[in-house]
């Protein structure tokens, strides 16, 4: 690693509080911006905030604040200024003229983190697409930032080529990526169709970024999905088999974390990644109950699920980190919720039992059959395709007495009816 990569960039955060934003929401939003900066390997030096009736059309914050920010950048020798909102191309240009430090906004910061985290080809393509769509209208104001080689927050991905010289190149690249992504989406939908045909139930873990989804994904599936106490630790979706207490297996998907004010370019770019959520039979909504703004996080996720047209899928709400919950915590989900912690022994079994009970209640129908011993092939299918509750071999009449649960649309139900 060279010295430039080892040195963390020093950052000043800038926020503008408008009348419709409460003090509490604004503070949480600024804290989140600081967490995002840490995730992008930046060191926050200080924050500048301002209350205004509306954002300044030319510079986002008022002229006096721009002068204050300029003096502060020189005094603290800050490398970077990050604004807690999406700046328009003209605002970006005006601020870049007034202040010598590099300037980026919340959207560019999130895109940068995504670029750093993407591992799969699909993830990298989607990030590049979102970055190019973001960069296209902002080329004139960002000439220096975009063309300079090297690292730094906000310069990963397409920022390393001289984008400002060739808008046509960007448009062609956007078209190429869209063609490649449509192939990936077709492949993914064929895979999903095959899964549906085989009658495999699917659950998806969703939640605000850093709520603990990947930790639970690993525990429930004995997997090794990347987990860390950083925002957007997981970016590429993973699907693994999860065995429930009865021995019945379902597929469990881990998804990218949701966040308030998620850039619209990212929602569009990640729509195919989040298709896993739309196709799920059950959504497990993981909420960090130790976070002061847990209710706000919950509403953000539910709002994004609605935007993805996935708000009609049954939801099991799991309040995570119950060992760190503050005393006056009140679950907002009403019925259909569970309190868990990855650190408490027995909570894994408790969550699996709750998932199994939920599937039985909402998506399956009970059966009871007496299968002759000669029907070995059917018995094998019963074990793999249904959720067995009780299994007993009656030696007198040489029949298996089986009870359990099965999905109504599964083909095996017709076979079972012969022996009911």
């Amino acid at each position: 690693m060279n010295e430039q990569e080892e040195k963390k960039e020093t950052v000043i955060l800038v926020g503008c509080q408008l009348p419709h934003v409460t003090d509490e929401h604004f503070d949480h939003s600024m804290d989140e911006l600081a967490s995002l900066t840490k995730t992008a390997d930046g060191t926050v030096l200080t924050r500048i905030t301002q209350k205004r009736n509306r954002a300044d059309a030319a510079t986002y914050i008022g002229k006096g604040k721009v002068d204050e920010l300029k003096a502060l950048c020189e005094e603290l020798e800050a490398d970077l200024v990050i604004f807690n909102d999406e700046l328009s191309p003209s605002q970006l240009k005006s601020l870049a003229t007034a202040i010598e430090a590099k300037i980026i906004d919340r959207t560019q910061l999130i895109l940068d983190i995504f670029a750093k985290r993407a591992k799969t080809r699909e993830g990298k393509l989607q990030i590049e697409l979102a970055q190019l769509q973001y960069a296209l209208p902002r080329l004139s104001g960002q000439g220096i930032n975009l063309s300079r080689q090297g690292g730094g927050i906000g310069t990963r991905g397409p920022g390393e080529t001289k984008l400002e010289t060739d808008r046509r190149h960007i448009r062609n690249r956007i078209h190429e990526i869209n063609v490649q992504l449509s192939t990936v989406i077709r492949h993914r939908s064929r895979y999903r169709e095959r899964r549906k045909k085989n009658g495999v139930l699917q659950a998806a873990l969703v939640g605000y970024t850093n709520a603990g989804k990947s930790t639970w994904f690993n525990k429930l599936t004995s997997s090794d999905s990347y987990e860390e106490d950083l925002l957007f630790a997981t970016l590429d979706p993973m699907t693994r088999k999860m065995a429930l207490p009865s021995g019945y297996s379902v597929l469990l998907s881990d998804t990218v974390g949701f966040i308030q004010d998620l850039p619209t370019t990212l929602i569009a770019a990640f729509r195919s990644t989040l298709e896993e959520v739309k196709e799920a039979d059950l959504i497990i909504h993981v909420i960090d109950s130790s976070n002061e703004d847990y209710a706000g996080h919950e509403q953000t996720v539910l709002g994004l699920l609605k935007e993805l047209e996935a708000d009609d899928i049954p939801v099991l709400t799991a309040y995570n980190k119950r060992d760190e919950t503050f005393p006056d915590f009140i679950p907002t989900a009403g019925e259909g919720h569970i309190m868990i912690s990855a650190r408490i022994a027995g909570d894994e079994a408790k969550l699996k039992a709750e998932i199994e009970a939920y599937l039985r209640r909402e998506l399956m129908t009970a059966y009871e059959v007496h299968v002759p011993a000669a029907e070995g092939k059917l018995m094998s299918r019963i074990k793999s395709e249904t959720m067995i509750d009780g299994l007993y071999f009656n030696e007198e009449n040489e029949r298996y007495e089986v009870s359990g649960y099965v999905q109504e649309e599964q083909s095996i139900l017709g076979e079972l009816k012969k022996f009911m």
Side-chain angles (χ1 to χ4, degrees):
M1 236 188 224
N2 62 38
E3 281 180 37
Q4 187 188 0
E5 283 175 323
E6 283 181 6
K7 179 182 173 287
K8 289 195 171 188
E9 283 184 287
T10 51
V11 180
I12 294 173
L13 305 180
V14 183
C16 182
Q17 185 180 354
L18 301 176
H20 68 277
V21 180
T22 64
D23 290 352
E24 190 182 23
H25 183 83
F26 182 69
D27 290 343
H28 285 313
S29 182
M30 289 301 290
D31 289 342
E32 190 168 81
L33 188 68
S35 295
L36 287 165
T37 305
K38 177 196 165 198
T39 301
D41 295 327
T43 304
V44 177
L45 297 174
T46 188
R47 303 176 182 190
I48 283 187
T49 60
Q50 184 178 35
K51 285 190 177 185
R52 289 179 65 88
N53 286 331
R54 64 174 186 271
D56 188 284
T59 52
Y60 184 69
I61 49 174
K63 190 176 181 299
K65 277 288 174 189
V66 174
D67 293 339
E68 188 186 323
L69 179 60
K70 184 182 179 181
L72 203 57
C73 285
E74 287 167 6
E75 183 193 329
L76 300 175
E77 296 181 348
D79 301 312
L80 181 65
V81 177
I82 303 177
F83 282 76
N84 191 26
D85 210 338
E86 189 167 312
L87 298 173
S88 70
S90 60
Q91 286 170 338
L92 202 57
K93 194 173 181 180
S94 303
L95 288 163
T97 307
I99 295 159
E100 280 190 23
K102 191 172 74 174
I103 293 164
I104 67 169
D105 59 22
R106 183 188 177 93
T107 299
Q108 200 174 344
L109 177 62
I110 293 172
L111 287 171
D112 184 80
I113 294 166
F114 274 50
K116 189 175 147 193
R117 294 262 177 264
K119 297 285 187 291
T120 64
R121 177 170 164 269
E122 183 190 4
K124 287 173 181 171
L125 282 172
Q126 287 175 320
I127 288 303
E128 191 184 344
L129 178 64
Q131 284 180 313
L132 290 169
Q133 287 169 334
Y134 172 84
L136 194 58
R138 294 171 172 80
L139 294 180
S140 57
Q142 279 193 299
I144 298 161
N145 292 346
L146 285 171
S147 63
R148 71 180 204 174
Q149 293 289 322
I153 298 169
T155 59
R156 294 182 182 91
E160 289 169 8
T161 53
K162 288 192 175 183
L163 296 178
E164 73 274 22
T165 61
D166 196 355
R167 288 174 190 266
R168 194 167 60 248
H169 164 71
I170 299 178
R171 291 199 181 98
N172 290 343
R173 182 65 189 140
I174 286 173
H175 177 70
E176 278 170 33
I177 293 171
N178 279 322
V179 169
Q180 289 180 46
L181 280 174
S182 63
T183 309
V184 175
I185 293 164
R186 276 200 306 275
H187 172 74
R188 199 195 281 279
S189 65
R190 277 199 302 271
Y191 168 63
R192 275 200 306 268
E193 278 166 28
R194 193 164 67 245
R195 216 160 52 201
K196 289 274 182 208
K197 198 175 170 185
N198 294 339
V200 181
L201 282 173
Q202 176 154 12
L205 285 166
V206 304
Y208 206 77
T209 182
N210 209 27
K213 294 182 303 299
S214 294
T215 303
W216 275 106
F217 181 75
N218 293 343
K219 282 181 87 72
L220 295 169
T221 62
S222 306
S223 179
D224 56 356
S225 172
Y226 182 75
E227 56 175 271
E228 200 176 327
D229 184 22
L230 290 172
L231 301 182
F232 300 119
T234 306
L235 186 58
D236 299 304
M238 289 181 80
T239 302
R240 293 279 182 276
K241 201 175 269 192
M242 169 176 66
L244 295 173
S246 63
Y248 185 75
S249 287
V250 298
L251 289 175
L252 183 68
S253 294
D254 189 14
T255 60
V256 60
F258 293 19
I259 192 166
Q260 63 185 12
D261 308 321
L262 187 71
T264 45
T265 50
L266 267 185
I267 292 177
F270 277 86
R271 200 167 279 280
S272 64
T273 307
L274 292 165
E275 286 289 322
E276 293 294 326
V277 177
K278 276 180 76 174
E279 294 296 324
D281 299 290
L282 170 67
I283 288 173
I284 302 160
H285 181 185
V286 182
I287 299 168
D288 177 0
S289 63
S290 70
N291 190 298
E292 285 183 8
D293 194 26
Y294 71 91
H297 290 182
E298 188 172 349
Q299 289 312 309
T300 297
V301 173
L302 294 175
L304 281 166
L305 284 175
K306 192 169 187 179
E307 211 165 310
L308 288 165
E309 296 169 5
D311 53 330
D312 56 342
I313 299 166
V315 176
L316 170 62
T317 306
Y319 289 103
N320 192 26
K321 307 183 188 177
R322 69 181 174 104
D323 52 325
E324 297 174 34
T325 303
F326 40 96
D328 54 349
F329 171 79
I330 301 166
T332 44
E335 285 182 26
H337 76 267
I338 183 171
M339 300 288 295
I340 52 171
S341 169
R343 293 184 188 153
I344 297 175
D347 274 15
E348 182 188 339
K350 181 176 155 188
L351 179 56
K352 281 188 174 182
E354 187 68 29
I355 293 167
E356 185 166 275
Y358 201 95
L359 293 175
R360 287 179 176 186
R361 195 168 61 243
E362 301 290 332
L363 302 167
M364 302 177 103
T365 185
Y367 73 85
E368 203 170 300
V369 289
H370 297 85
V371 182
E375 293 282 347
K377 200 173 176 184
L378 178 59
M379 278 307 301
S380 173
R381 282 188 69 193
I382 287 172
K383 285 174 183 173
S384 65
E385 295 177 35
T386 78
M387 192 184 283
I388 294 175
D389 218 15
L391 175 60
Y392 169 71
F393 183 64
N394 190 327
E395 289 183 12
E396 280 182 35
N397 57 16
E398 293 194 338
R399 285 174 185 267
Y400 289 99
E401 295 174 4
V402 194
S403 60
Y405 293 82
V406 63
Q407 289 181 68
E408 284 185 33
E409 61 271 21
Q410 268 186 280
S411 58
I412 194 173
L413 190 55
E415 297 290 310
L416 293 177
K417 282 177 178 171
K418 295 174 189 174
F419 302 101
M420 280 181 178

